[in-house]
């Protein structure tokens, strides 16, 4: 079945914000399909609706119209509790501001999605350590976020996003707060995970360098998708 | 201070606007902060107003029952409330010696110059039974205070002569009765009242019912009289059989009005005493009683002080709350503040900004708090009045405390509240303004400076050295406070210094455990124990030290405390995410957690101590109940005149009494002197026995003659007895055979009971002397009664001798007491009424142990209830504080919550997590407070309750209920913030700069 091969699909999604009488159409009939194992970049000028797209597709935010399917399930039709559960099981998030719990250690941060999905404490710890190993942070397991550098924090966040082996990982400007060298490291890590584990990523970015690494780039403007650039060369390399 | 802030505000209009803007911008926030800050002020104002009310009560008492009377001079050795023998009279030599002129003359050489007295009024005073015909029913009271004075002298007594003197002088058969008497006997102008004196009954016509005001409200100390009956001097003389020119009482009025005169009281008493010492003959047996001073200064306990001490804990908790709130406010605005600093606002400007805002909060809070305190005090006064109504008929008058708030107290409360709140804000502002600009703007956690600034190091060294110095001085000078606080300061100083080399957790665990132990055991030092007994402040200091040390200990060892939870996480996977976060936050924010814990612990500490106090007291009074009246259940005491003709016969004839009674015993007690001992050797718990003893006077003591029936049944245990007696029983029965043997009631140990006697043991001889005739009798002490501890009705007291020895003093003024043994299941109140009806007309007073202790218990219970109600308000500090703090932390953690939601936390999980987090902290605080309170209560028990056989009773059930109740309340208080937390949408995760 075609549908199940898609990690995510949006059909004519609408989203508008209404502030003080002014309506902003942040998403205007957006449709899109993301295949399993894809590495997709979303680009466009500031305020064009990239973050909104990510938030709605991932179910963090509600939509005004349209349909969203994640791993074949209709996200738009789910109640909040179910959607949250679904998020814990099938999605991972990487934020620009890392968004780690400052009071928890790296390992404890990574464990969180597992614990909420009902994985036992011991098993969760084991998988968290594996994920941290994956992002090469074995030696920072017991550190708190404020004891880590920005790049390290983002790697912890990546480990957290991956630990439950999600169908799709959403990343909103994951390198926005990082210098170019650290950005590079983080992107390499994402690329590696995409290639070696077939992990699906959707990355919002302003960085054209990022766009060049992905196998598809979605261009947005004024809440609409105005173009999709497939990079066969990258796709070929990724395959 | 206010001026300084306002002045500064005027000079800095921009900062002022910025600072004050926050107030109106976030109204809900302002309300929370004001509520949190107001609690301390409310407690201060409540305590002060309560003090105002009780002092007004005492002043009213003084005005009503004494008026211009400052001292009372009488010739008596009576010192027990139960002693109702007639007061001996005196004649011309005394009357002409004690005059205002002589007093001025005699006091010329006193340090403060001569004292002025504006009235000396000779009078005949005695409690007599009074009867009247109600509507066909005989009405009687065992005690009306008969006062006979020369009406003309009465009109000239003091600067404000008593209002009753404005009435026409009473004629030969006329009397003015006080409202109290009039009410009991249903008297009106023109009705007849019969008074019975030494010469027999006599009927008087009521010339008027007068308000109780000054002499027309006079009662002697401990009296249960219904009120005075005023008659002409001659009429009183005739009734009491006194000779012409004699009086038994001198009322002295110091210069100055009702309350001012009291200042010279001591000097006047001393002077009068020395004048009397010079009077030939029996001048040495006079006592000058400083009644006014006693009424105003000691008459009522300074209940407001107790409340102030108790509330200090809650006030401190309030201060912690304020600090917590302001730190949170500051942290929350860190970004904003950092930007302000970045745009070149100096640090001092930042402090000002905070100070302006804080000042506005403090001002509103202290005003609101004062009003709330007024309300608390009004409620407490009501509660007190309900408690004291249990005694109203026992004392025969209204004991209602008026509600009174002095403007000065309100002002003091407002300014104290403002000062405390503002200081807390100021110190907090200084601290938060110390922030690093970059990390503030980027909302990064503050970096810890690696090296500590030299200034701080010096301060810590100074703390250590200062602490050492204070302890050294304290131990040298035996100053309890310094002995307690010095070592604690030194320990903290030492801890700070060591923290350079030693990791924080083990270091502070050891320091705080040591401080806790020291504060607990410091009582072993004499000087500390003495302070503890004398001032409530010490109780506060040691309590606070113990609580804070315990909180510190727990804060540094939260991981152990939470260890059990980790196990729970393993067992119940569903709880794991909730517990993980709920535990991590308090553990990470150690100082905030510590403050919150301390807030709860401090209040629960006093709650626990007061509960322990009442439970221990209850247990003690249970035990003393059995020790009262030597195992009998009640007593009837004859009045000052004449004896009850045939007690047993009267009981037999009254069916109600006959059925209830199982046995009786008649005792006869009189006053003797122990010539071998000097009176100023001892004091009683009420001070020296009624007024200062004259120099050189022998000790006054009671001798009680008891029948074989009593000796054969008494249950009084002996603390020692002659070796030849194999048991207490044998020793008691030996008294029946040998009239040379006596039993002494338990000894006075210098601090507790009012039965006083120098230390005499079994086998010693003791000489008794009749103060009137000078006859002597020598006795051998057979043993001593064990101290029953606690309350004592004092009917069986002094030196106990068999009734066979009665008559060894031919002229002894004796008073009869009849003891009653009641059957089981008797209706105490009915018997009490029956006794009253049967014997009141003869001037006899009767009471049942059950009844009196019951009232006492009602009083203690009500008092403790009021204290706890007061503290309940303190608990509001904790609970409301927790609500404020969790509301603020929801706000503070929106972004984190959003992230949790994004990674898959359900709404309910987030809500539960908040609930669990807050209630865990409150639970730990509650447990600390109750545990340390159990220790503090044990300390209190050790020095308040002297009875060695007393038991420490910890009210498990009550404390468990209180603990759970407070915990549930704190749970409820955090429900709203928890719900708000659960509503934070996941998109909040993306918000920058949280
Ligand atoms: N919560 C909101 N309320 C009102 N309007 C919003 C809200 N969030 C986004 N918008 C508006 O929706 C539009 C799209 O915003 P969005 O955050 O998706 O842009 P973006 O492409 O991510 O921009 P950037 O690259 O700057 O992050 C913008 O015009 C923005 O003003
Ligand atoms: Mg964006």
């Amino acid at each position: 079945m075609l549908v199940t091969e898609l990690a995510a699909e949006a059909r004519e999604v609408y989203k508008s914000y209404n502030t003080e009488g002014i309506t902003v159409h942040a998403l205007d009939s957006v449709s899109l399909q993301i295949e399993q194992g894809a590495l997709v970049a979303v680009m466009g000028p500031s305020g064009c609706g990239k973050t909104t797209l990510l938030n709605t597709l991932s179910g963090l935010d509600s939509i005004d119209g349209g349909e969203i399917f994640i791993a074949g399930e209709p996200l738009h039709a789910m109640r909040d509790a179910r959607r949250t559960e679904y998020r814990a099981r099938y999605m991972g998030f990487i934020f620009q501001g890392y968004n780690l719990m400052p009071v928890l250690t790296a390992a404890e941060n990574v464990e969180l999605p597992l614990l909420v999905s009902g994985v036992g404490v011991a098993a969760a710890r084991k998988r968290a350590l594996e994920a941290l190993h994956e992002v090469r942070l074995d030696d920072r397991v017991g550190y708190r976020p404020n004891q880590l550098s920005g790049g390290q924090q983002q790697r912890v966040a990546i480990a957290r996003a991956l630990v439950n082996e999600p169908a799709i990982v959403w990343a909103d400007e994951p390198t926005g707060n990082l210098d170019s060298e650290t950005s590079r490291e983080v992107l390499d890590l994402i690329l590696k995970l995409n290639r070696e584990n077939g992990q699906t990523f959707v990355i919002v970015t302003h960085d054209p360098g990022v766009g060049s690494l992905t196998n598809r780039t979605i261009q947005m403007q004024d809440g609409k998708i105005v173009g999709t650039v497939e990079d066969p060369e990258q796709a070929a390399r990724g395959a | 201070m206010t001026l300084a802030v306002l002045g500064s505000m005027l000079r800095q209009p921009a900062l002022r606007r910025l600072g004050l803007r926050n107030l109106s911008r976030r109204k809900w926030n302002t309300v929370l902060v004001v509520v949190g800050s107001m609690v301390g002020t409310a407690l201060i104002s409540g305590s002060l107003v309560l003090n105002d009310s009780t002092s007004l009560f005492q002043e009213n008492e003084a005005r009503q029952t004494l008026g211009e009377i400052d001292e009372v001079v009488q010739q008596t050795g009576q010192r027990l409330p139960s002693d109702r023998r007639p007061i001996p009279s005196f004649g011309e030599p005394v009357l002409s010696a004690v005059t205002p002129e002589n007093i001025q003359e005699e006091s010329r050489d006193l340090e403060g110059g001569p004292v002025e007295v504006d009235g000396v009024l000779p009078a005949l005073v005695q409690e007599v039974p009074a009867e009247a015909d109600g509507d066909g029913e005989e009405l009687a009271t065992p005690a009306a205070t008969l006062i006979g004075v020369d009406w003309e002298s009465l009109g000239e007594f003091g600067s404000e002569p008593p209002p009753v003197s404005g009435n026409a002088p009473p004629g030969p058969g006329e009397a003015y009765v006080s409202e109290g008497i009039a009410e009991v006997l249903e008297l009106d102008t023109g009705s007849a009242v019969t008074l019975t004196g030494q010469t027999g009954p006599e009927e008087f016509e009521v010339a008027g019912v007068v308000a109780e005001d000054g002499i027309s409200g006079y009662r002697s100390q401990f009296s249960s009289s219904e009120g005075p009956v005023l008659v002409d001097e001659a009429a009183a003389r005739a009734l009491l059989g006194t000779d012409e020119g004699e009086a038994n009482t001198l009322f002295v009025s110091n210069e100055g009005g009702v309350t001012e005169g009291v200042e010279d009281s001591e000097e006047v008493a001393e002077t009068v005493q020395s004048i009397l010492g010079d009077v030939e003959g029996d001048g040495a047996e006079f006592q000058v009683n400083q009644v006014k001073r006693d009424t105003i200064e000691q008459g009522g306990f300074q209940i407001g002080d107790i409340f102030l001490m108790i509330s200090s804990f809650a006030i401190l908790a309030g201060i912690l709350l304020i600090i917590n709130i302001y730190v949170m406010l500051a942290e929350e605005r860190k970004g904003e503040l950092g930007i302000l600093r970045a745009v070149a606002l100096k640090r001092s400007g930042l402090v000002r900004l905070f100070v302006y805002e804080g000042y506005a909060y403090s001002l509103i809070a202290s005003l609101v708090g004062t009003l709330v305190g007024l309300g608390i005090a009004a409620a407490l006064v009501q509660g007190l009045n309900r408690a004291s109504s249990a005694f109203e008929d026992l004392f025969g008058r209204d004991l209602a405390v008026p509600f009174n708030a002095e403007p000065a107290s309100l002002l003091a409360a407002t300014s104290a509240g403002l000062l405390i709140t503002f200081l807390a804000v100021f110190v907090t502002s200084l601290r938060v303004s110390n922030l690093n600009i970059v990390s503030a703007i980027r909302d990064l956690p503050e970096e810890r400076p690696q090296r500590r600034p030299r200034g701080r190091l010096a301060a810590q060294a100074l703390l250590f050295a200062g602490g050492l110095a204070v302890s050294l001085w304290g131990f040298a000078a035996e100053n309890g406070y310094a002995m307690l606080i010095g070592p604690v300061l030194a320990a903290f100083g030492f801890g700070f210094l060591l923290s350079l080399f030693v990791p924080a957790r083990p270091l502070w665990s050891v320091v705080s455990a040591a401080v806790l132990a020291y504060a607990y055991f410091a009582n072993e030092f004499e000087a500390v124990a003495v302070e503890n007994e004398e001032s409530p402040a010490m109780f506060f200091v040691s309590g606070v030290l113990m609580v804070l040390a315990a909180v510190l200990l727990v804060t540094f060892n939260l991981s152990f405390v939470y260890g059990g939870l980790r196990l729970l996480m393993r067992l119940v996977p569903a709880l794991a995410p909730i517990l993980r976060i709920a535990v991590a936050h308090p553990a990470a924010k150690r100082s905030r957690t510590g403050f919150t814990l301390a807030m709860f612990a401090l209040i629960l500490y006093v709650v626990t101590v007061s509960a322990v106090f009442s439970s221990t007291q209850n247990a003690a009074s249970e035990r003393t109940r059995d020790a009262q009246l030597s195992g009998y259940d009640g007593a009837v005491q004859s009045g000052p005149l004449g004896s009850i003709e045939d007690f047993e016969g009267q009981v037999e004839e009254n069916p109600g009494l006959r059925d209830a009674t199982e046995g009786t015993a008649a005792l006869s007690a009189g006053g003797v002197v122990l010539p071998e001992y000097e009176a100023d050797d001892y004091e009683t718990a009420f001070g020296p026995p009624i007024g200062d003893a004259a120099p050189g006077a022998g000790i006054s003591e009671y001798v009680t003659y008891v029948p074989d029936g009593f000796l054969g049944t008494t249950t009084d245990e002996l603390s020692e007895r002659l070796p030849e007696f194999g048991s207490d029983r044998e020793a008691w029965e030996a008294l029946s055979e040998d009239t040379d043997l006596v039993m002494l009631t338990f000894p006075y140990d210098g601090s507790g009971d009012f039965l006083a006697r120098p230390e005499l043991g079994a086998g010693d001889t003791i000489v008794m002397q009749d103060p009137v005739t000078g006859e002597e009798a020598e006795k051998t002490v057979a043993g001593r009664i064990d101290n029953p501890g606690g309350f004592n009705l004092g009917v069986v007291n002094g030196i106990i001798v068999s009734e066979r020895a009665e008559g060894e003093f031919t002229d002894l003024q004796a008073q009869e007491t009849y003891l009653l043994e009641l059957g089981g299941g008797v209706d105490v109140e009915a018997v009490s009424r029956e006794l009253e009806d049967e014997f009141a007309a003869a001037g006899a007073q009767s009471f049942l142990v059950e009844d009196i202790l019951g009232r006492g218990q009602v009083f203690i219970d009500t008092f403790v209830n009021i204290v706890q109600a007061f503290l309940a308000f303190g608990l509001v500090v904790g609970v409301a504080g927790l609500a404020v703090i969790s509301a603020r932390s929801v706000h503070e953690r929106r972004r984190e919550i959003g992230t949790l939601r994004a990674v898959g936390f359900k709404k309910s999980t987030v809500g539960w997590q908040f609930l669990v987090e807050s209630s865990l902290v409150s639970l730990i605080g509650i447990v600390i407070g109750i545990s340390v309170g159990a220790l503090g209560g044990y300390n209190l028990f050790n020095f308040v309750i002297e009875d060695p056989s007393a038991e420490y009773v910890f009210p498990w059930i009550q404390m468990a209920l209180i603990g759970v109740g407070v915990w549930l309340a704190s749970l409820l208080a955090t429900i709203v913030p928890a719900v708000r937390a659960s509503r934070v949408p996941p998109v909040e995760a993306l918000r920058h700069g949280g």
Side-chain angles (χ1 to χ4, degrees), chain B residues 328-532:
Chain B
M328 289 180 89
L329 276 183
E331 276 177 5
E332 193 179 297
R333 302 215 194 112
K334 231 186 221 170
E336 194 180 325
L337 293 177
I339 293 165
L340 284 174
R341 276 214 70 177
V343 298
L345 190 61
K346 277 187 283 188
R347 182 168 169 238
S348 62
L350 213 55
V351 174
R352 280 206 196 98
L353 192 66
F354 251 98
V355 163
Y356 294 160
E357 185 178 348
Y359 182 77
Y361 287 134
S362 317
L363 192 64
I364 303 173
S366 55
L367 290 173
V368 176
T370 305
L371 291 180
V372 172
L374 214 58
I376 297 175
L380 287 178
V381 165
Q382 273 230 310
L384 273 182
N385 286 340
R386 205 163 322 135
S388 59
S389 67
F391 289 108
E392 235 149 60
D393 59 309
L394 216 56
F395 288 107
R397 67 205 152 90
D398 189 12
L399 294 172
V401 177
F403 179 73
N404 175 36
E406 300 283 337
S409 304
L410 296 182
L411 196 66
T414 312
S415 17
L418 185 61
L419 188 73
I420 290 175
T421 318
F422 186 67
L423 273 182
V425 174
F426 188 66
V427 173
T428 314
S429 315
L430 280 183
R431 218 173 136 60
V432 295
S433 62
N434 214 350
L435 46 81
N436 177 311
I437 304 178
V438 177
S439 47
I441 295 177
R442 296 191 50 198
D443 195 27
L444 296 175
E446 288 285 315
E447 276 163 46
R448 292 260 172 88
Q450 288 305 304
R451 272 179 316 118
R452 80 184 76 183
R454 219 177 287 155
R456 186 174 302 175
L457 194 65
Q460 290 165 353
L462 200 68
L463 182 65
F464 177 55
L468 274 187
V470 171
S471 354
L472 284 178
W473 175 77
F475 277 94
E478 301 251 306
N479 179 304
Y481 287 99
M483 281 163 77
L484 180 61
I485 297 171
V488 171
L489 292 182
F492 275 101
F494 191 60
F496 279 125
L497 292 177
L498 270 190
S499 65
L500 283 173
F501 317 106
V502 183
R505 199 173 100 183
L507 173 68
W508 290 113
S509 301
V510 169
V511 169
S512 54
V515 168
L516 175 61
Y518 184 74
Y520 176 69
F521 287 111
N523 244 348
E524 300 289 323
F525 296 118
E526 180 83 23
V528 177
V530 167
E531 282 299 345
N532 233 334

Side-chain angles (χ1 to χ4, degrees), chain A residues 55 80 84 87 97 99 111, chain B residues 580 895 899 901 905 989-990:
Chain A
N55 288 350
D80 182 77
T84 308
R87 211 161 41 224
N99 286 36
E111 274 168 19
Chain B
R580 167 64 42 86
R895 180 158 169 251
T899 309
R901 295 279 285 121
F905 273 63
L990 299 151

Side-chain angles (χ1 to χ4, degrees), chain B residues 9 184 243 253 307 314 392 436 534 563 661 737-738 778 892:
Chain B
M9 276 193 193
V184 174
D243 293 337
S253 161
F307 279 101
E392 235 149 60
N436 177 311
E534 281 174 1
T661 308
E737 265 98 69
D738 188 346
E778 195 177 290
E892 194 177 79

Side-chain angles (χ1 to χ4, degrees), chain A residues 45-52 55 96 172-173 204 206, chain B residues 990 992:
Chain A
S46 181
C48 69
K50 305 182 295 289
T51 298
T52 309
N55 288 350
Q96 179 180 357
D172 193 354
E173 303 189 30
V204 168
H206 279 293
Chain B
L990 299 151
H992 295 294

